[in-house]
Amino acid sequence: MAAGLALSTTAAQAEGDWPAKPITLIMTFPAGSGVDVVGRSIQEPLGKLLGQPVIIDYKTGAAGNIASEFVARAKPDGYTLVFGTAATHGSNAALYKKLPFDVENDFVPVAPVLDVSNVLMVNPDVVQAKTLKEFVELIKANPGKYNYASTGNGTGTHMAFAEFNARLGLNMVHVPYKGGPEALTSVVRGETCCIMNQVQTALPQYKAGKVRLLGVTTAKPVAAVSEVPTIASSGVAGTQGFDSSIWFGVFAPHGTDAAIVAKLNSAIATVVQQPEVRAKFEAMGNSIRVESPAQFKKTVHDNRVKWAEVVKAAGIELN
């Protein structure tokens, strides 16, 4: 009884005292990236709700592994968090055989923020295809001829195309770049033919008429580009059920008090459902995701299993 009372008192104190100072949110990808844009969108409203500033710090590189390792080793007091993705806390576990941390056991999944919609974007001067069916036929007729860009080895843009190619048996050359701006520029310039990139980053070039969008990677159409069909609805063999959207979410070091995690989860859920935040995310082509810590933990686990299967099928391995 005494031990139980002591634990309850400790939890109550943790929840009551926290946060007593600024909270640092470690970014896994560089300033200006899709991850950074989303993280900065919740930074101020989250700080206001918690009563302490949220400070964004960058520890980028190695497909998010540098930031993840830093937070995995941080003190589990709720003051150091990492803004992770389906890549950093999912596919990286299969891609990198010697990670200095465990993507599930060394973190507490706090809360998801949103689901990110990717879209197959092509340079119309390099690829004359106007539909997904025409695109697949062109690639199959020219094995090894066309290069596709990604924002880096093992990133969500790489994994989405890897899953697509594995499903359809396409032979394309992967060209990884250091980040989103470089990868997108390569497609616009015609250095690569295409990319599966976030809708939010594709929109400016699409509206300017510089690229063509052939299909969104989500199971349902995306409101921001409602005229673009889903890949799954294309009727092309191998695309049935295709859903390669990715999530962004917040993680704390393993051992962080459950009361702090619950308070953070509630605050993040409140922020993403604020009308102005929701509207901003949806205009980018994203969808908010609200889950309890337990539900998000299952999402993370299921995601890791899925991408392990994709990595194996695509034969991808990074050092």
Side-chain angles (χ1 to χ4, degrees), residues 14-212:
E15 183 178 11
D17 296 342
W18 185 93
K21 62 181 181 179
I23 300 158
T24 300
L25 182 61
I26 304 296
M27 281 294 158
T28 44
F29 293 96
S33 65
V35 171
D36 180 55
V37 169
V38 172
R40 287 198 172 277
S41 295
I42 69 169
Q43 177 187 13
E44 185 177 349
L46 183 60
K48 286 183 177 179
L49 197 61
L50 292 172
Q52 289 288 345
V54 174
I55 299 170
I56 286 182
D57 189 13
Y58 300 91
K59 297 192 181 300
T60 61
N65 291 333
I66 292 174
S68 297
E69 180 182 4
F70 179 84
V71 175
R73 298 173 183 271
K75 186 177 179 180
D77 56 8
Y79 291 105
T80 306
L81 311 170
V82 64
F83 200 81
T85 72
T88 64
H89 287 72
S91 56
N92 279 8
L95 290 166
Y96 296 87
K97 302 305 178 185
K98 296 180 180 179
L99 284 178
F101 56 85
D102 187 297
V103 295
E104 290 195 67
N105 294 328
D106 288 343
F107 298 91
V108 178
V110 173
V113 173
L114 50 70
D115 286 319
V116 180
S117 306
N118 284 328
V119 62
L120 174 54
M121 177 177 69
V122 303
N123 181 314
D125 294 327
V126 178
V127 175
Q128 284 71 48
K130 294 183 178 180
T131 66
L132 189 75
K133 183 175 182 293
E134 292 176 356
F135 174 81
V136 172
E137 290 172 348
L138 177 66
I139 301 302
K140 285 190 172 182
N142 298 274
K145 176 181 177 180
Y146 289 95
N147 301 337
Y148 72 92
S150 82
T151 55
N153 282 317
T155 60
T157 57
H158 178 201
M159 298 309 298
F161 228 126
E163 181 179 8
F164 181 75
N165 287 343
R167 274 176 170 249
L168 278 67
L170 304 183
N171 181 359
M172 301 183 72
V173 179
H174 173 222
V175 182
Y177 288 84
K178 292 182 179 180
E182 295 90 343
L184 185 61
T185 298
S186 78
V187 177
V188 173
R189 289 179 176 174
E191 297 164 1
T192 56
C193 80
C194 46
I195 187 173
M196 281 191 183
N197 207 1
Q198 297 166 21
V199 170
Q200 66 188 57
T201 57
L203 278 174
Q205 302 297 343
Y206 173 55
K207 290 180 178 179
K210 296 181 179 180
V211 298
R212 180 178 294 139

